[in-house]
Amino acid sequence: MKKNLYKYLICSILMSLVSCTSYLDIKPYGKTIPKTPEEFSALLNTHLKDIDNGEEIIWGNVSTSSDLECYADNLDANLTKYPEGSYIPLYVGDGLSRKQYYYERLYRIIRDCNIIFGNMKDDGSKMARNVIGTAYAMRGVCYYHLLRNFCEPAVGNLQGLGVPLVTEFDMEAKPIRSTIAQTAELCISDFEQAIAHSIDDPMFRFDSDVMEGFKARTYFWTGDWKNAAISARELLKKYPLISGDAYKEMIESEIARKGNVIMKSSIIFDSDKQGQYNGTVNYLRSRPLSRKFVELFVEKEKDIRYRLNFDRYRLNTKYPGASLRSAELQLILAESLYHQGKESEALAALNELRRNRIEEYVPFTMQTLPKVKADDIIRQDCQGKELSPLLYAILNERRKELYLEGDRWFELKRNGRPEFWAAKQGRKYTTRQFMYTFPIPVNDVHLVDGLIQNPGYEKVQ
């Protein structure tokens, strides 16, 4: 009875939260706080269950991956078939208002983690270790998402605006924005704390391998190429690349984690979730893949992804989803080596991925790399430099490999934030450079003195 009461009170706290600032206005007292690690784990179990059921906040799901794909350029928005295509975004402008809700939800999860840090006594038990480690993991992942979505590109801009850093439960605190470097440092620190706590209960999901993967992602996003390569190599030893039927089975698995997938969401489907999933897949077939994207598959049927991603009408056949898998780490490794000036090693890493995807593969040499196309939408790298044939090949391989996994939008953001447009009913809708960085909730900007809104949204009321 007592345990149920605690759970009820915790749920009441969760329901009462509105945003980052309202999070700071809710102070838990005596009876609202659990006492044992088992009771504190209830704060995390809801979020863990949501990941399994395909939530959109911590890990992402079919809908979020599909929306991000529709914001980017792999699908040709101008060829959308209506009215069926009305259910999917035309361009990023369709989702900007909702991103403020995403910001608020991330801070709700951060709040729950901070409640654990401030109130749970570490009794040395396995449960305590897993709960504290998972709280660090979740908080770090939330800040990683805040960094990528609500801050401008990080490479070469580490002193740019980060997000407000909330590391303890304090009702009086109303922090302003940190720097990008400080936000990234907190992410890495949380991931390392999670690893140090050796999460070993599968129920808590975020084990050391998942955390090492997020370290690689964060280092990569911020341009710490040396550490990104180290983390990627470490995981690739445990999760080597796969090919052929094993790769096909992994990509076609709607629910089960197969192959070298380190973690994924949506592993439990009920009838409602299955209906939503099928609906999203069907909606995507209302928008063909762009011709330029399809033409990247030069080897055609010899490339297994050519057969898995689309049909002869350029309509999608790949299952959308959100996961962490080895191919992403291989691509992080290849590009990180490139930016360190280790071009021969970068080329070898690129060839290793392609060897596992293309039958009768003939490795690229520096002389046989394809030329950079002048009309490519990405015209500069993340450092503002002209694309070389090697980096161009790495970026194209990433585009093909991680199609419909929520990656391409962030690649456009990371590499120059190119502007492009889509047409509907005689009107032109342009993805502007500022739209790659989503708006801070307007209420937070009004309530917190000194909290700076992202460029392009300053006049939004």
Side-chain angles (χ1 to χ4, degrees), residues 40-41 43-44 111-121 131-132 135:
F40 273 101
S41 69
L43 279 171
L44 304 178
R111 176 212 58 188
D112 289 349
C113 297
N114 287 339
I115 287 175
I116 289 172
F117 299 140
N119 295 278
M120 194 189 97
K121 182 179 179 180
V131 169
I132 294 172

Side-chain angles (χ1 to χ4, degrees), residues 75-361:
L75 304 174
D76 194 333
N78 295 309
L79 297 181
T80 304
K81 180 181 178 182
Y82 295 105
E84 295 91 340
S86 298
Y87 292 98
I88 57 178
L90 177 67
Y91 81 130
V92 69
D94 291 341
L96 288 175
S97 294
R98 192 166 182 270
K99 294 303 178 183
Q100 297 177 84
Y101 171 72
Y102 180 49
Y103 179 96
E104 294 167 358
R105 289 288 302 275
L106 286 167
Y107 274 106
R108 294 185 193 187
I109 297 165
I110 290 169
R111 176 212 58 188
D112 289 349
C113 297
N114 287 339
I115 287 175
I116 289 172
F117 299 140
N119 295 278
M120 194 189 97
K121 182 179 179 180
D122 186 353
D123 61 10
S125 66
K126 176 179 176 180
M127 176 61 75
R129 175 167 49 78
N130 282 320
V131 169
I132 294 172
T134 304
Y136 276 116
M138 282 189 178
R139 190 175 73 175
V141 170
C142 287
Y143 276 118
Y144 169 77
H145 291 316
L146 288 164
L147 176 66
R148 287 210 305 168
N149 286 278
F150 298 95
C151 303
E152 294 191 326
V155 177
N157 184 34
L158 294 179
Q159 297 309 307
L161 288 172
V163 295
L165 300 182
V166 185
T167 57
E168 60 183 19
F169 198 96
D170 182 355
M171 65 181 290
E172 282 79 29
K174 287 181 170 56
I176 58 174
R177 299 179 70 166
S178 64
T179 65
I180 287 174
Q182 289 168 333
T183 304
E185 287 167 6
L186 180 57
C187 291
I188 296 297
S189 175
D190 280 356
F191 299 149
E192 290 178 343
Q193 283 284 355
I195 291 171
H197 281 80
S198 302
I199 302 166
D200 57 4
D201 187 334
M203 179 183 77
F204 290 101
R205 317 294 191 278
F206 292 93
D207 60 26
S208 60
D209 292 342
V210 177
M211 290 296 91
E212 198 66 46
F214 270 95
K215 284 176 63 178
R217 284 175 165 179
T218 306
Y219 287 135
F220 182 72
W221 184 257
T222 56
D224 186 345
W225 311 118
K226 180 180 178 180
N227 282 314
I230 290 172
S231 290
R233 280 191 197 277
E234 191 67 26
L235 274 179
L236 284 164
K237 293 176 184 176
K238 299 180 68 174
Y239 300 89
L241 295 173
I242 57 176
S243 60
D245 290 341
Y247 177 80
K248 181 176 184 292
E249 184 179 14
M250 175 182 68
I251 295 299
E252 290 186 334
S253 175
E254 297 180 36
I255 300 174
R257 178 187 137 194
K258 296 186 177 182
N260 52 30
V261 172
I262 301 169
M263 183 172 169
K264 68 180 295 184
S265 66
S266 304
I267 62 174
I268 299 174
F269 267 22
D270 56 22
S271 58
D272 289 340
K273 290 291 182 183
Q274 187 66 56
Q276 293 173 13
Y277 185 91
N278 292 340
T280 301
V281 171
N282 289 333
Y283 298 154
L284 284 173
R285 290 182 63 80
S286 301
R287 182 171 298 178
L289 279 69
S290 72
R291 184 175 297 279
K292 286 184 178 179
F293 178 43
V294 171
E295 289 174 350
L296 292 178
F297 295 86
V298 176
E299 295 82 4
K300 297 187 181 300
E301 285 82 3
K302 290 185 177 181
D303 190 327
I304 191 171
R305 298 165 299 189
Y306 185 88
R307 304 192 296 269
L308 290 176
N309 287 355
F310 50 89
D311 62 21
R312 63 193 181 97
Y313 301 107
R314 303 205 329 255
L315 298 179
N316 176 68
T317 56
K318 182 178 178 180
Y319 294 112
S323 65
L324 171 63
R325 58 187 181 90
S326 293
E328 179 185 350
L329 298 166
Q330 186 74 16
L331 290 158
I332 286 175
L333 175 62
E335 186 172 342
S336 296
L337 290 168
Y338 171 84
H339 287 300
Q340 292 180 80
K342 300 177 180 179
E343 293 192 358
S344 60
E345 293 182 51
L347 179 60
L350 172 65
N351 279 326
E352 177 63 14
L353 178 65
R354 288 172 55 81
R355 182 182 66 80
N356 281 276
R357 300 291 177 267
I358 301 169
E359 296 174 1
E360 303 173 8
Y361 177 59

Side-chain angles (χ1 to χ4, degrees), residues 1 26 42 46 48 69 156 230 289 309 316 324 339 383 453:
M1 181 69 180
I26 301 170
T46 297
L48 294 169
E69 202 69 52
I230 290 172
L289 279 69
N309 287 355
N316 176 68
L324 171 63
H339 287 300
Q383 302 181 58
Q453 180 59 277

